Amino acid sequence: MSEFRLEMRGICKSFPGVKALDHAQLRLRPGTVHALMGENGAGKSTLMKCMFGIYKMDEGELYFEGKKVEIHDPMEALHMGIAMVHQELQPIPARTVGENIFLGRYPMKKLLGLIPTVDHKKMYDDTAELLKKVRMEFNPKQMLGELSVSQMQSVEIAKAVSANCKVLILDEPTSSLTHNEVEALFRIIEDLKADGVSIVYISHKMDEILRISDEVTIMRDGQYVGTWDAKGLTTDFIITKMVGRELTNLFPKRENVPGEVVFEVDNFTSINPKSFRNASFQLRKGEILGVGGLVGAQRTELMEGIFGIRSHSSGVIKYKGKELKINRPKDAIDQGIAMLTEDRRASGILGVLSIADNISVASLKQYLDYGFCINDKKVENLVQENVAKMNIKTPSSKTQIQSLSGGNQQKVLIGRWLANDPDVLILDEPTRGIDVGAKYEIYCIIADLAKQGKSIIMISSEMAELIGMSDRVMVMCDGKVTGFIDGKDASQENIMELATKFD
Amino acid sequence: MKTKKSVPQRILAYIKGNPIVVILTIVCLIVGFNVENFFSWGNFNNLASNTAVRFLIALGVSGCLITKGTDLSAGRQVGLAACIAGVLLQRADYSGRMFPNMPEMNMWVVLLIVLIMGGCIGGINGLIISKLNVPPFIATLGTQTIVYGIALVFTDAQPIGGFQKSYTQFVNGKLFAVGNFPGFSFLLIIAMIFGFLFWFIYNKMTHGKYMYAIGGNEVAAEVSGVNTVASKILIYVTAGIMYALAGFLLAGKAGGATSALGNGYELEAIAGCTIGGVSTTGGIGTVSGILVGVLVFELLKIVLQFLGVNPYYNYIVQGLVIVVAVALDIRKYVAKK
């Protein structure tokens, strides 16, 4: 038997117009955590989908426990002992936890000795057992839709564990988890490792990678860069290998000078008693206001309330001393406010539509001839201008946005808002799920906008980003604003202190 | 990354992308060369006027489909409009007149009345869907039944005939008839005008762009400042107007109407749109595609008629075409994985 649990050799995969994988490889040892790293679009997820049978590879070989195998669909992969927790969870919200875990392989019994029916008792007993194994406590009969994102993720992991998997693929498992939940996940990973499971761990978070992985494989542009023992690796080394060039600074130098107060929110309260309450803050011209807090601090809800996506019961928004009436996003946009929402897929991109349609949708009125006929040339100019300015990588302006990488999608969405030339920009997790190189580019765009005198509110769950990019940091906890910290004085400690200031 | 393709390559790509069109063209050629009169002006005008009315209905429902909705009340709205137009345009000397003492009405006034009524029914659909958040399938299933009921009450389920000459002649008229050339059917011209109008709205106006945006991602569209409620209401109002227009034309074309007219037309229209590449998951669809989809159906009917097939078989063949066409079409998207 080979020393490797699973080996992928010379994997190639092309999509129309793109070579996603170019002789990529991966070798997994039993009982280890193997980090797979690379920028967005480097081919990590594609490689995993080839392993899991979602994509059919064009070239290459797959060895499982020393034997050459072919995997045609996820069912085969599961039978072989390969399980995957997807980047985007795909649960069935209106069914119970137990049914989600045992979907497709319900335990059966024979009613009256002949009619096969689902054995619900066994299913829920087994589910309870599994949840205990992943250190989670909730009712197996609870509807999945009632759980939080992190709990759903635990259910997905429990599902993978229940298949007695030998290889477990975790694709960005911590992107929506809080600190405590990440710790819980790491304990599960340690347990699985001790059971001899090989874990492929895809993440952009360096500290996590350095902490839990045993080996690191780095990919770039669909190609294999190398595999290293995780011990002794440094963040700088990994980034250099991922990007293929030296990154001297993580954040650009900011040259913006905050001016007078232009935007004020006073005593803003949600109609939902559990959401934001009595929030007040001020924003200066040319200022970057970071917004920190734990998941569930209602930061997104507050900003969506200001932008008119959510309703508020009381409170005042003022721009340059004038009170604004905002009941829906259109009102906010008409007043020169823009908001890049948190969830690109759910509320950002128009997936099947083109880059041109996506970038122009919020500013179409500017491209009209005679007041009613859209001038396609003006739209094309807008696209080309943004493609050049923000270095958007796309085959053409007619390409469907859903075929771009996350970073490029985000740039298109930023372009959508900039087309309106807003004065106040609310950015909700602007770099979530985006690779290091594109992140830096987005930071540069933000810094440049502030320099031009635009006021920016940036919600971020990444401490380094908050500290590195903000002129001031506003911290929220449990629906309330708990304090402000000057950017120069901000540290992980004082932000966390305010973020955990529960009543 | 774009590569210029040679003409034969592009033709090949079209054949691959539109198998149902290619198959049907071949069938038409075979039938045409074997059956007399298939390739004739009479048959062409017949096909054109049949297609024209169906195309108008399909255009109406296409906006609903592109925004991930549907409109099951289309057929019944066509029927109601036909009945109302018919009743209001009966000859003064016709013995079976529904309102014997009513003066003869002007055709254009009646058209206006019918279109306003269609817009109102569409508006109600739109309000139910976007304000009350009832799923379009259920909302329009409800209005379908209500509209049929209204038509039955209004006509007392009696057939309506005896239309003013000016009405039937106008609808059945031909344009550009010179010498031996019989001219184009008036309905064909109407359909072409509306086809262009819809193409313009869908591609060149904010309303069209917003429609595709709503179909692509309604939440994102709303966040981007699109008034999704107003857009959707407008789409259903437009749809209602199109059905009413179709009903007005159909009654005039046939010279009579009953409350049963238009039964099932919504399904034909939806199927036509789908065959023409309008995505049931929203955000995708073109006017030219819709035209092809509707044409496929009408051509098929005529081919079967010329071959002397028992008309009852039509349904079986049409059903098969829907399934096969969409299955072939969807392969384009599935194969990309």
Side-chain angles (χ1 to χ4, degrees), chain B residues 254-301:
Chain B
T258 71
S259 50
L261 185 104
N263 182 19
Y265 283 13
E266 66 277 1
L267 300 181
E268 262 182 38
I270 293 168
C273 286
T274 316
I275 290 173
V278 177
S279 163
T280 45
T281 50
I284 297 174
T286 60
V287 171
S288 58
I290 296 163
L291 178 59
V292 169
V294 175
L295 201 57
V296 162
F297 257 75
E298 294 306 318
L299 262 177
L300 195 71
K301 282 188 206 162

Side-chain angles (χ1 to χ4, degrees), chain A residues 40-42 344 393 401-410 435 438:
Chain A
N40 273 3
R344 257 198 312 277
K393 288 178 197 123
I401 192 171
Q402 62 187 6
S403 66
L404 299 189
S405 71
N408 284 311
Q409 288 181 3
Q410 193 74 315
D435 58 80

Side-chain angles (χ1 to χ4, degrees), chain A residues 17 345 349 357 374 376 416, chain B residues 1 204 209 217 220 222 224 283:
Chain A
R345 278 178 97 79
I349 63 168
D357 286 337
I374 293 166
D376 292 330
R416 177 192 291 176
Chain B
M1 257 178 244
K204 296 286 174 186
K209 293 280 179 186
N217 184 341
E222 174 78 30
S224 303

Side-chain angles (χ1 to χ4, degrees), chain B residues 45 173-186 189:
Chain B
N45 266 328
K174 301 254 192 302
L175 292 176
F176 310 116
V178 186
N180 275 337
F181 181 64
F184 295 107
S185 112
F186 171 70
I189 308 290

Side-chain angles (χ1 to χ4, degrees), chain B residues 205-223:
Chain B
M205 293 186 72
T206 47
H207 175 62
K209 293 280 179 186
Y210 289 166
M211 175 187 77
Y212 286 110
I214 292 170
N217 184 341
E218 188 166 343
V219 181
E222 174 78 30
V223 169

Side-chain angles (χ1 to χ4, degrees), chain A residues 58-76:
Chain A
D58 301 336
E59 259 179 69
E61 292 166 334
L62 186 62
Y63 294 85
F64 189 73
E65 300 188 319
K67 281 195 293 285
K68 189 173 174 201
V69 292
E70 273 182 42
I71 296 176
H72 300 96
D73 57 58
M75 226 38 192
E76 274 185 38

